[in-house]
């Protein structure tokens, strides 16, 4: 048999570390081991009852046929209305594309807008798929490190140094995965002013998938509102996955110029066609049924409580510095004092592997996000698991500290 080789594009892609760790955690659970999984980026809640009811009624009364590639017209209109209200600007149906999750929206965007050699500025720590998506679009990822002392936010001077005539996008997660750092209106405006001055051809790409999951005094800012009078060159990625606990439904939205939406829709038509009809029905209920809002607020209250509990517990561990996130549902913990010479672990991957295999706690090493020496710990799980996991992590880290004393 003649070997079927893979091509250069396949060779440049990395595996998702978060999915790999979740898969290994699943294998250990299948072996009967009591693994606590703090690696997955999805809520542990059920979607609002109205979502399930709408889907059940649809399945009982309607055939499940294809939808238009760009999405059901009524869902596009509902999403356009929701984003229009939030961003305080008119949003037309032609500016809104429904895709198979926010990840699909991003991949579509890069595929139809990047030319070979176009650069995309990505602040690190970054969500694991940004870099590979840019490569798939024949673009060049330009990773710019952020600093703990700056709240893990991209600084205007660092952005100015990274911009070139080839810059097509600057990617900002607000709040971002894995740190949970958010950008205020003033901070977004400062970045927009740099872009307009140094690289007026580039666009701001805002990943708003966690925008409703923010805490304390932090107020999420609309990029369009923050940059009013500076630039309108903004693309927004949004969806129902995180806020409505609908990750498995795979529905994301892209708000972009109509020309870009049309191009992305043509691409989507050849790759996936429209998103699953049943998922779109569920997403429409999430956006339109007013009974969903109390459920969303209840989830938010639970995440707020969990954040406070886990943050206090991790900050009390010896040799661990844990950042207090503005949003999302992750804690980014600096465990670098427990790595390297004089310790059992060469790097964060080794420590994360040890926690999983020996302590049965699944976390994600910071290396996966372009920032070695850290662990990302998700608190999107039930309270009992969080309490048990904090005990296990505390015993593990405490034992390491004692051994070094």
């Amino acid at each position: 048999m003649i070997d079927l080789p893979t091509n250069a594009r396949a060779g440049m892609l990395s595996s998702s570390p978060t999915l790999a760790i979740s898969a290994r955690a699943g294998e250990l659970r299948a072996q009967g081991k009591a693994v606590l999984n703090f690696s997955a980026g999805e809520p542990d809640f059920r979607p609002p009852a109205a979502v399930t009811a709408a889907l059940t009624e649809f399945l009982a009364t309607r055939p499940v046929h294809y939808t238009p590639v760009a999405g059901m017209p009524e869902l596009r209109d509902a999403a356009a209305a929701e984003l229009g209200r939030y961003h305080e600007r008119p949003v037309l149906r032609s500016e809104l594309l429904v895709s198979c999750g926010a990840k699909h929206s991003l991949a579509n965007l890069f595929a139809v807008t990047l030319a070979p050699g176009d650069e995309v500025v990505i602040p690190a720590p970054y969500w694991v798929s940004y870099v590979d998506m840019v490569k798939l679009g024949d673009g060049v990822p330009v990773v710019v490190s952020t600093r703990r002392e700056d709240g893990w936010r991209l600084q205007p001077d660092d952005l100015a140094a990274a911009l070139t005539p080839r810059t097509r996008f600057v990617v900002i997660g607000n709040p971002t995965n894995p740190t949970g750092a958010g950008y205020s209106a003033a901070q977004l405006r400062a970045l927009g002013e740099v872009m307009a001055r140094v690289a007026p051809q580039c666009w701001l790409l805002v990943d708003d998938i966690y925008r409703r999951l923010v805490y304390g005094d932090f107020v999420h800012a609309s990029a369009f509102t923050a940059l009013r009078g500076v630039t309108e060159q903004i693309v927004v990625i949004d969806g129902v996955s995180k806020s409505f606990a609908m990750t498995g439904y795979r529905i994301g939205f892209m708000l972009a110029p109509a020309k870009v939406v049309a191009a992305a829709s043509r691409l989507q038509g050849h790759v996936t066609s429209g998103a699953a009809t049943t998922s779109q029905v569920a997403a429409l209920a999430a956006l339109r049924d007013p009974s969903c809002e109390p459920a969303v607020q209840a989830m938010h209250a639970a995440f707020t409580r969990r954040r406070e509990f886990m943050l206090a517990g991790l900050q009390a561990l010896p040799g661990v510095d844990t950042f207090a996130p503005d949003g999302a549902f992750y804690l980014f913990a600096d465990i670098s004092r427990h790595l390297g010479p004089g310790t059992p672990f060469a790097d964060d991957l080794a420590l994360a592997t040890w926690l999983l295999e020996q302590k049965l706690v699944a976390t994600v090493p910071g290396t996966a996000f372009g920032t070695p020496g850290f662990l990302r710990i998700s608190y999107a799980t039930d309270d009992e698991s969080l309490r048990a996991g904090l005990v296990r992590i505390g015993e593990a880290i405490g034992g390491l500290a004692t051994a070094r004393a």
Side-chain angles (χ1 to χ4, degrees), residues 42 46 88 241 260 273 289 305 308 315-316 325 331 355 377:
E42 59 179 347
R46 293 178 60 86
E88 299 180 358
S241 296
V260 173
S273 296
D289 195 309
R305 183 183 68 251
E308 294 170 356
Q315 286 179 332
L331 294 167
L355 277 177
I377 299 170

Side-chain angles (χ1 to χ4, degrees), residues 6 11 47 52 76 87 113 145 171 176 190 209 212 230 260 298 333 356 401:
T6 56
T52 304
R76 294 177 76 190
H87 294 290
T113 59
S145 295
V171 179
T176 190
I209 196 66
R212 298 192 64 175
V230 176
V260 173
L356 176 57

Side-chain angles (χ1 to χ4, degrees), residues 8 28 115 192 220 223 251 274 374:
L28 292 172
H220 185 273
I251 294 294
F374 291 78

